[in-house]
Amino acid sequence: TQLLEQSPQFLSIQEGENLTVYCNSSSVFSSLQWYRQEPGEGPVLLVTVVTGGEVKKLKRLTFQFGDARKDSSLHITAAQPGDTGLYLCAGADVTSGSRLTFGEGTQLTVNP
Amino acid sequence: ETGVTQTPRHLVMGMTNKKSLKCEQHLGHNAMYWYKQSAKKPLELMFVYSLEERVENNSVPSRFSPECPNSSHLFLHLHTLQPEDSALYLCASSQEGTGNTIYFGEGSWLTVV
């Protein structure tokens, strides 16, 4: 069974601060996805990274896929209260394609 | 709006009740999924349907019974549930063979009393 470990599990910061969330595994993934989930709602896809070493930017969010495709990071610059939510990483199995393994998530709270 | 619609959004049921959760996707995808999300636990994949055939059942108790009548609709029939089955049940869909992106519905909050 592939496992994805996310850290930190909880993060509470002030508006304007920067932060990084990590997603690590000993397994290789064909792709990795980041989702954001608000309370009572389903996860919403933020980005999919496919190539080892790939960096994608989405406004103040920067996503990186590790060279070996075993880990990923999400960096948020100048966090805002609207960034508050549960951030989930999910890795796609190399062999079965669309089966995703989810991390436990990072609960981010950005205080005004 | 993700293109995946779940109903009901909230459901309270007794342990002897029979109820169903419904999911409909408007994305033209060929695979649909049921996930369970409980507090402090990673998302758990329950069932996978690909081209309307169940291709995965991750040791889910028989009190949960999925049904996929066509590629756009997915049901989860619930019977004789336990309080520990209370959770957010998420439906998702994807287009297999075009990458691994799956799209989630907003979820159905289930409380078993």
Side-chain angles (χ1 to χ4, degrees), chain B residues 41-112:
Chain B
K41 293 176 73 174
L43 277 167
E44 300 172 56
L45 180 62
M46 300 174 71
F47 301 104
V48 181
Y49 276 82
S50 176
L51 298 173
E52 299 157 41
E53 277 194 46
R54 190 192 310 180
V55 296
E56 195 157 331
N57 175 349
N58 284 344
S59 303
V60 180
S62 59
R63 57 186 183 268
F64 294 91
S65 174
E67 178 190 0
C68 187
N70 55 61
S71 60
S72 301
H73 294 87
L74 185 65
F75 295 89
L76 187 62
H77 303 301
L78 314 170
H79 177 50
T80 322
L81 295 191
Q82 304 298 310
E84 60 265 29
D85 295 323
S86 299
L88 179 66
Y89 288 85
L90 291 160
C91 174
S93 72
S94 71
Q95 182 65 21
E96 292 200 320
T98 61
N100 310 109
T101 301
I102 68 170
Y103 295 86
F104 286 91
E106 292 182 325
S108 294
W109 276 104
L110 173 65
T111 302
V112 181

Side-chain angles (χ1 to χ4, degrees), chain A residues 16 48 85 90:
Chain A
T48 301

Side-chain angles (χ1 to χ4, degrees), chain A residues 3 13-14 16 27 31 33-34 39 58 63 71 73 75 77-78 89 92 94:
Chain A
L3 293 175
I13 61 172
Q14 293 300 121
S27 304
S31 68
Q33 301 171 27
W34 285 92
L58 188 65
F63 305 85
D71 54 83
S73 64
H75 182 79
T77 303
C89 67
V94 171

Side-chain angles (χ1 to χ4, degrees), chain A:
Chain A
T1 304
Q2 296 177 308
L3 293 175
L4 269 173
E5 294 185 355
Q6 279 188 246
S7 62
Q9 283 192 317
F10 299 94
L11 190 55
S12 181
I13 61 172
Q14 293 300 121
E15 182 175 359
E17 293 183 5
N18 302 331
L19 67 114
T20 302
V21 176
Y22 299 93
C23 180
N24 295 296
S25 176
S26 58
S27 304
V28 177
F29 294 102
S30 59
S31 68
L32 195 137
Q33 301 171 27
W34 285 92
Y35 292 84
R36 177 168 162 266
Q37 184 178 20
E38 298 194 23
E41 304 292 331
V44 175
L45 180 70
L46 295 175
V47 78
T48 301
V49 284
V50 179
T51 307
E54 181 177 3
V55 177
K56 280 192 174 179
K57 291 193 175 185
L58 188 65
K59 297 183 180 179
R60 295 176 291 101
L61 278 60
T62 302
F63 305 85
Q64 185 162 7
F65 201 12
D67 291 339
R69 292 185 291 141
K70 293 182 179 181
D71 54 83
S72 181
S73 64
L74 158 61
H75 182 79
I76 301 179
T77 303
Q80 298 177 0
D83 295 326
T84 294
L86 179 68
Y87 288 82
L88 296 161
C89 67
D93 190 299
V94 171
T95 55
S96 66
S98 55
R99 307 295 178 262
L100 293 180
T101 298
F102 279 85
E104 289 186 349
T106 295
Q107 181 61 54
L108 171 66
T109 303
V110 182
N111 303 299

